[in-house]
Amino acid sequence: FVASAKVPIRLASDLAVSPNGKQIAFFWRGDVWSAPIIGGAARQLTHHPAIDRQPAWSPDGKQIAFVSEREGGRQVWVMPAAGGAPRKLTQHTEGFVLEEWMPDGKGLLTSITRDHFWRHAERFSIIRPGEKQRVEQVLFDDYGQYPSVSPDGKKLLYNREGERWWRKGYTGSRTAQIWMWETESKAHSKLLDGEDARWPLWKPDGKTFYYVGARNGVLNLREYKLKTKNDRQITKFKD
């Protein structure tokens, strides 16, 4: 069952663009919806009194994973992108934050909080829908936020530290940093710090990424090239 929105949609969140760039999935009024990216009628994909959110398209565009509280706790579910019955993938009582699909389509990257008390308890993990047990696989035993997997699946960009983003002009040990983890060498490297670098996102070439940085205390979209370390400002907001 798929319904269309009868009123203008405002304050949608958890936006996710389909692999072909033609659709966008989002969270609105407790459910997951989709709509043409050029505009038009939105379709309601999930229908449940509990909260369904954090949609993520599979690389082939045929499935949408999301997080639901419909059976208690924030568990990962998956459903056909065109609508249909969802299937539950996880069971852990502490729940999950869904980040994105892995590039090969065989795993889902999630953030979890498990065995570390209070500070820096966040870990990245992969769950694999095709496995019967679906045991979460922790990528590395250290904390991070806002991960982005490279197109070849061999590198992971992520944030560490970070005061609240609306604390304008903050500089210090809690300034947001961007790090990179390489799956083959198991090595971590700090790429950006000191100017509140947040929310990294790989470009399709796997050689460059976007991020939001607060040069001079103002958040703007930027582009960083790994090889040359060229750091280019894209937007020009002054406040």
Side-chain angles (χ1 to χ4, degrees), residues 196-215:
D196 215 28
R198 298 174 181 268
W199 308 308
L201 177 67
W202 286 99
K203 292 184 69 174
D205 63 7
K207 301 175 182 178
T208 313
F209 64 88
Y210 296 115
Y211 75 99
V212 175
R215 297 278 177 95

Side-chain angles (χ1 to χ4, degrees), residues 108-124:
L108 288 155
L109 179 65
T110 65
S111 292
I112 58 174
T113 303
R114 293 291 184 265
D115 301 323
H116 300 269
F117 175 70
W118 186 54
R119 187 168 172 80
H120 297 327
E122 310 92 344
R123 297 292 184 271
F124 299 131

